Amino acid sequence: MIRILDKNTADKIAAGEVVERPLSIVKELVENSIDAGAGNIVVEIKNGGKTYIRVTDNGCGIKADECELAFMRHATSKITVAEDLNAIDTLGFRGEALASIAAVSRTELLTKTADSKTGKKVSIYGGEVAESVSCGCPDGTTIVVRDLFYNTPARLKFLKADSTESSAVIDFVTNIALAYPEIRIRMINNDKILFATNGKGNRGATIGTLTSNIVKEKLIAFEYNEDKITVEGYVSGPGESRSSRKSQVFFVNGRVVDSKVIEKGINKAYSDRLFEGRFPICYLFLHVPPERMDVNIHPNKRQVRFYDETVITEIVQRGIITALNSNKAVPEVKESITYNSKPQPQSAGHYEFIEKTEKINSQPFKVKEKVDINNILSNYEHKKENLEVEEQMAVFETNSMPVLKSDSQNTAAQRFNFLELTVHGQFFGTYIQLSDIDAIYYVDQHAAHERIFFEKLSEQWNNSKKHSQPIMFPIVKDVSHSDKEKESSWLPLLKNMGFFIEDFGPLSYKISEIPAFMDIKEAENFLDDFIDSIGEYTDFNDERTLNKIATRACKAAVKANDTLSDEEINRLLADLSKCKNPFSCPHGRPTFIKITKNDMEKRFKRT
Ligand code: ADP
Ligand code: MG
């Protein structure tokens, strides 16, 4: 028998689509508060939100005679006609949230508009109005949701442990606080204040409040504009990384999103700075013109579709690279590292974050992917187009850098130049000391050498004209049977790096020319390690495999030879200055560190 469901049943079914768990309720209520123009929002939960959720705001409030209406399905003040759907600037618009929440809990609304003398209190239990009275209350709205799913026990069973539910809520509120630094947001869990942002609009300060002092100090702030898209970001330098993506949060026009497109941009920016499997900390805030993307995919899913994905990836990548190439990316020696005594204030939000902000406005400039050093090794296929690549490289260098420097409105990120520093000498056979007027620098000569070697190797790889040098006594290399079997996968790679290599007996090869930038010892070490690595990898067409081999081999290539002459020091510094990424070796260790005058003054207790 076909029947029309009664209202109660229909409501419960519909509610299931909006209300899955405490997180969904908090999300809807907080978004309503933001839509109501609140400057102050408090979120409180108990027992993972299962028994108690409260969201209080100081927004516009709901008129007394509209309170019950607000709980009706498809009741919304945000759109009137279907055409409005094309220009949505509020977070909610379906008019389903309050109805759905009230259908599966005991919900209480307390609200007052500024122009009304008294407020209104409405209680709705399982979708039925239980109480509706006038009462005194401050301007704004409080909604309390008790006993979630009390009337749908089957769904109650699907909720996870309290701690799982609460951490989902806390993560969400944290992200909202990041997205809206101009709103004061307080999070209370089981009667304990977890954090309170100051609402002053300073994103760096907000990050400091929400993460830890230590993390905050390691982040480099940047802003990058191109093609009407803005990326504001806080990213960690190469010296700091995590083993998962958990410390990466992306916002697009104020909404938290998951995005492979953005992740790809991050990966590319860091690919020669971090090991495989390590992830930088990234808070990225993108502003993309609404007509260039689709947000209306699913209300609960954190997904957007960008119409031009490549552009987004490239802008993210370039923004981060500009940040990483600025001198703010130099790892600083912090007082807190050496003096371990002062406890750091945590999560109270009472301290100011001294922000490392560089605003970088860049003209759009076109850089093809293959110009990026990270991709060079993977472009084995494209090596014939190398002259074109070289030309683009020149364009990249001349186009991008002067723009960064000449922007007078912003503190531009200057490219770091070692040749402007005074050299003081070499210490412990390992470190070169340098200084400028407000800092001392120590270059790790081995790390620097690895970086230079890696970049020269990549350059050679990419260049159709190989700069090779004949050697007087050829190097003879023996390989295993299985390596010999796989010859076709690795031999061309060596040739493409500028080695002249030919068969020399059943399992031997003779190398009579090596890349011009290597000395014989380096070439021998490199070959040893390169051939050693072959067995570990199978997919030689994979960009990451090539990167890994090259990275490993670079390490082997640069051994000992500790004492450097002045001339060698100068050459090393000049070569390092020319590197695209002078800040870390290919394995992610810093090539140099900086101790500022300010750090010194702190240690001598002058400040
Ligand atoms: P939607 O947000 O999709 O419009 P909701 O069910 O979430 O639908 O809310 C229904 C209506 O109730 C909103 O359109 C708004 O007018 C009003 N409302 C809800 N929460 C608040 C709030 N915190 N402050 C002011 N008005 C609110
Ligand atoms: Mg809503």
Side-chain angles (χ1 to χ4, degrees):
M1 185 172 71
I2 297 176
R3 268 183 307 180
I4 303 277
L5 294 174
D6 62 74
K7 176 183 173 298
N8 198 312
T9 314
D11 279 356
K12 279 185 189 172
I13 291 170
E17 285 163 22
V18 180
V19 184
E20 267 174 85
R21 53 193 295 204
L23 167 66
S24 2
I25 296 182
V26 171
K27 183 172 182 293
E28 293 295 340
L29 297 182
V30 168
E31 290 185 348
N32 279 348
S33 297
I34 294 170
D35 285 346
N40 208 330
I41 300 174
V42 181
V43 179
E44 178 173 6
I45 56 171
K46 288 176 185 171
N47 304 310
K50 293 173 190 170
T51 57
Y52 185 89
I53 295 170
R54 171 174 71 96
V55 174
T56 295
D57 67 54
N58 64 346
C60 66
I62 304 173
K63 284 200 210 115
D65 58 356
E66 290 186 346
C67 284
E68 286 174 48
L69 191 63
F71 284 96
M72 307 270 285
R73 194 160 302 284
H74 307 303
T76 178
S77 56
K78 297 169 194 174
I79 51 174
T80 357
V81 289
E83 283 80 78
D84 292 350
L85 278 170
N86 301 326
I88 293 160
D89 60 354
T90 54
L91 296 167
F93 58 84
R94 291 178 178 78
E96 282 182 319
L98 290 187
S100 300
I101 294 165
V104 290
S105 68
R106 297 184 230 269
T107 299
E108 215 165 75
L109 162 74
L110 198 62
T111 187
K112 180 172 119 46
T113 55
D115 58 8
S116 159
K117 282 206 181 65
T118 58
K120 176 104 181 183
K121 182 180 165 190
V122 177
S123 304
I124 302 194
Y125 296 162
E128 303 295 329
V129 180
E131 189 188 25
S132 180
V133 291
S134 295
C135 69
C137 72
D139 292 352
T141 304
T142 289
I143 292 185
V144 177
V145 178
R146 290 191 178 84
D147 307 324
L148 177 61
F149 298 144
Y150 79 99
N151 54 351
T152 52
R155 307 209 28 221
L156 188 60
K157 274 194 250 153
F158 279 106
L159 292 181
K160 307 244 166 62
D162 288 7
S163 59
T164 311
E165 297 298 342
S166 65
S167 76
V169 170
I170 294 161
D171 279 346
F172 168 77
V173 179
T174 304
N175 289 340
I176 281 286
L178 285 170
Y180 296 90
E182 67 288 352
I183 301 179
R184 293 182 52 177
I185 294 183
R186 187 150 29 119
M187 174 76 229
I188 306 168
N189 183 26
N190 292 332
D191 301 315
K192 194 172 139 228
I193 298 180
L194 294 188
F195 59 78
T197 62
N198 66 15
K200 287 186 184 155
N202 181 331
R203 215 155 241 160
T206 311
I207 291 174
T209 304
L210 298 170
T211 61
S212 75
N213 222 2
I214 300 166
V215 168
K216 172 204 75 188
E217 295 214 334
K218 288 180 176 150
L219 299 178
I220 310 159
F222 69 92
E223 195 177 310
Y224 184 83
N225 306 308
E226 190 185 315
D227 200 10
K228 299 204 182 74
I229 292 168
T230 307
V231 192
E232 188 185 347
Y234 297 81
V235 297
S236 56
E240 186 67 27
S241 62
R242 296 283 183 272
S243 61
S244 78
R245 287 197 184 276
K246 271 206 212 125
S247 298
Q248 300 189 348
V249 192
F250 319 136
F251 300 85
V252 176
N253 300 348
R255 264 180 189 275
V256 183
V257 299
D258 296 324
S259 167
K260 292 273 176 258
V261 175
I262 296 173
E263 277 175 16
K264 198 167 158 196
I266 297 175
N267 291 351
K268 287 185 161 191
Y270 282 91
S271 68
D272 66 336
R273 288 168 167 87
L274 288 180
F275 274 125
E276 248 328 275
R278 300 295 300 176
F279 301 93
I281 305 168
C282 290
Y283 296 100
L284 299 180
F285 304 85
L286 279 78
H287 300 277
V288 180
E291 67 276 9
R292 292 172 65 176
M293 59 183 212
D294 186 2
V295 285
N296 198 9
I297 300 178
H298 187 289
N300 293 332
K301 288 277 160 55
R302 313 200 312 177
Q303 243 119 73
V304 285
R305 206 169 74 225
F306 299 110
Y307 294 135
D308 195 345
E309 302 189 335
T310 324
V311 168
I312 302 287
T313 299
E314 283 181 357
I315 288 174
V316 167
Q317 177 189 3
R318 284 206 277 275
I320 295 176
I321 284 179
T322 345
L324 293 177
N325 278 345
S326 71
N327 51 14
K328 295 288 164 55
V330 180
E332 284 184 20
V333 175
K334 281 280 162 213
E335 199 192 18
S336 56
I337 294 170
T338 29
Y339 288 44
N340 210 348
S341 51
K342 262 191 249 159
Q344 305 278 353
Q346 291 281 336
S347 76
H350 296 315
Y351 52 85
E352 286 298 315
F353 177 32
I354 307 148
E355 232 186 322
K356 299 176 172 181
T357 303
E358 303 117 49
K359 293 205 164 177
I360 298 155
N361 276 309
S362 165
Q363 300 297 326
F365 53 87
K366 273 271 162 278
V367 187
K368 277 215 189 153
E369 266 188 20
K370 57 176 169 282
V371 178
D372 189 327
I373 189 163
N374 314 322
N375 295 314
I376 287 171
L377 289 176
S378 69
N379 281 310
Y380 188 49
E381 300 287 321
H382 303 295
K383 63 180 184 224
K384 297 223 168 53
E385 300 163 33
N386 279 322
L387 284 175
E388 186 201 329
V389 171
E390 246 178 19
E391 250 172 58
Q392 285 167 4
M393 215 132 163
V395 172
F396 175 74
E397 294 293 340
T398 50
N399 243 0
S400 57
M401 298 315 165
V403 174
L404 296 176
K405 286 190 180 163
S406 64
D407 193 321
S408 57
Q409 269 193 320
N410 301 312
T411 339
Q414 306 257 330
R415 198 171 168 80
F416 202 79
N417 187 356
F418 294 91
L419 299 176
E420 288 165 6
L421 307 176
T422 313
V423 181
H424 300 290
Q426 188 200 28
F427 295 86
F428 311 129
T430 308
Y431 307 108
I432 299 161
Q433 192 194 40
L434 309 150
S435 69
D436 61 16
I437 51 164
D438 54 19
I440 299 172
Y441 303 83
Y442 289 95
V443 173
D444 178 331
Q445 66 191 47
H446 299 291
H449 199 158
E450 274 178 56
R451 162 56 58 190
I452 295 162
F453 190 93
F454 180 72
E455 294 208 2
K456 284 192 170 162
L457 187 68
S458 308
E459 200 180 292
Q460 175 95 311
W461 175 275
N462 191 45
N463 203 327
S464 59
K465 269 230 311 280
K466 307 298 170 196
H467 298 282
S468 304
Q469 50 179 336
I471 45 176
M472 200 150 20
F473 303 104
I475 303 168
V476 177
K477 279 280 157 241
D478 295 336
V479 300
S480 69
H481 283 286
S482 72
D483 290 344
K484 178 82 190 177
E485 280 303 299
K486 291 198 291 266
E487 186 190 74
S488 65
S489 65
W490 58 267
L491 201 57
L493 306 189
L494 282 176
K495 287 183 176 160
N496 197 45
M497 289 171 198
F499 288 96
F500 188 81
I501 178 165
E502 50 195 345
D503 270 352
F504 192 64
L507 286 178
S508 299
Y509 296 87
K510 186 176 86 177
I511 295 105
S512 52
E513 282 186 33
I514 62 173
F517 72 91
M518 292 185 192
D519 65 29
I520 293 189
K521 193 81 208 133
E522 283 176 340
E524 281 181 342
N525 284 336
F526 179 84
L527 285 164
D528 276 346
D529 212 68
F530 186 83
I531 293 170
D532 251 15
S533 318
I534 292 164
E536 292 175 30
Y537 309 105
T538 44
D539 183 5
F540 282 89
N541 290 319
D542 184 334
E543 168 185 0
R544 283 171 304 180
T545 306
L546 282 165
N547 252 319
K548 263 188 204 156
I549 295 175
T551 313
R552 257 193 73 172
C554 286
K555 195 175 175 65
V558 191
K559 290 221 178 91
N561 183 25
D562 284 335
T563 326
L564 299 180
S565 66
D566 287 355
E567 198 197 320
E568 285 171 317
I569 290 177
N570 284 334
R571 197 174 340 117
L572 186 81
L573 296 175
D575 284 348
L576 191 56
S577 283
K578 279 188 228 136
C579 284
K580 297 185 95 183
N581 168 21
F583 298 106
S584 67
C585 77
H587 312 92
R589 281 189 297 112
T591 49
F592 65 104
I593 56 170
K594 174 182 178 184
I595 302 169
T596 63
K597 190 164 166 243
N598 193 17
D599 293 330
M600 299 279 268
E601 280 166 353
K602 271 196 220 147
R603 287 207 206 180
F604 285 112
K605 311 269 182 228
R606 281 168 166 263
T607 50

